[in-house]
Amino acid sequence: MEQTLKISKIREGTVIDHIPAGKAIKVLAILKIDEKGSQTVSVGIRVPSGRIGSKDVVKIEGRYLERFEVDKISLIAPEASISIVKNYEVVEKFRVDLPERVTGIIKCSNRNCITNSKEPVPSEFYVSSKKPLVLRCYYCERNMQEKDILNNL
């Protein structure tokens, strides 16, 4: 007998779907969702998916994401989709889109980069490659691979 896993619908809020399996916890950290929060959050980890084998899903009741949060999510889940829910209905759905330039979201891994000094200079990266993800610092030209990016979010 096949069993199905169901995560209940939300009335108002955001659903982040097609997160790579095992990365939902990183999404929660990006969104600063922890045990002190007041909103209801449902998380499915390694949920079967016909499209990508297995995936993670995050549903957040009563919260809509800011653009910079969607940009951060695109760095770790470039295939994710975001659904905006109102009155239990999906009113908008879109895929995250990795921008060509990432500003002020992650720190450069080069300790000597001007963005890591006491100067008020925000970090800025260009996307050198999407698969595999490689970002290049605008200031010091250091390349950052996915592992470095995840550590510096």
Side-chain angles (χ1 to χ4, degrees), residues 1 11 20 28 35 42 53 79 91 113 115 142:
M1 175 159 109
R11 180 189 311 226
L28 295 175
E35 67 277 357
S42 300
E79 303 292 321
V91 296
C113 181
T115 61
R142 168 147 317 165

Side-chain angles (χ1 to χ4, degrees), residues 80-112:
S81 62
I82 309 276
S83 297
I84 307 301
V85 179
K86 294 187 178 177
N87 199 26
Y88 295 105
E89 297 292 325
V90 174
V91 296
E92 183 181 356
K93 185 173 185 172
F94 59 92
R95 286 200 180 285
V96 299
D97 185 28
L98 184 62
E100 290 183 23
R101 194 171 76 196
V102 178
T103 304
I105 293 178
I106 62 171
K107 294 177 7 178
C108 184
S109 60
N110 178 0
R111 284 192 244 156
N112 295 322

Side-chain angles (χ1 to χ4, degrees), residues 10-94:
I10 59 174
R11 180 189 311 226
E12 309 280 332
T14 303
V15 177
I16 307 162
D17 199 356
H18 299 101
I19 301 167
K23 294 202 175 174
I25 302 304
K26 190 70 176 175
V27 169
L28 295 175
I30 285 171
L31 300 176
K32 297 186 180 358
I33 295 173
D34 60 18
E35 67 277 357
K36 298 173 191 165
S38 60
Q39 64 241 119
T40 300
V41 178
S42 300
V43 179
I45 297 178
R46 293 184 184 85
V47 176
S49 168
R51 192 174 81 174
I52 58 174
S54 65
K55 64 181 180 178
D56 290 357
V57 180
V58 174
K59 294 183 177 188
I60 310 161
E61 182 75 43
R63 176 152 174 213
Y64 303 101
L65 304 183
E66 300 289 332
R67 180 78 238 169
F68 79 93
E69 293 173 315
V70 173
D71 287 347
K72 274 187 171 183
I73 291 168
S74 75
L75 291 171
I76 63 165
E79 303 292 321
S81 62
I82 309 276
S83 297
I84 307 301
V85 179
K86 294 187 178 177
N87 199 26
Y88 295 105
E89 297 292 325
V90 174
V91 296
E92 183 181 356
K93 185 173 185 172
F94 59 92

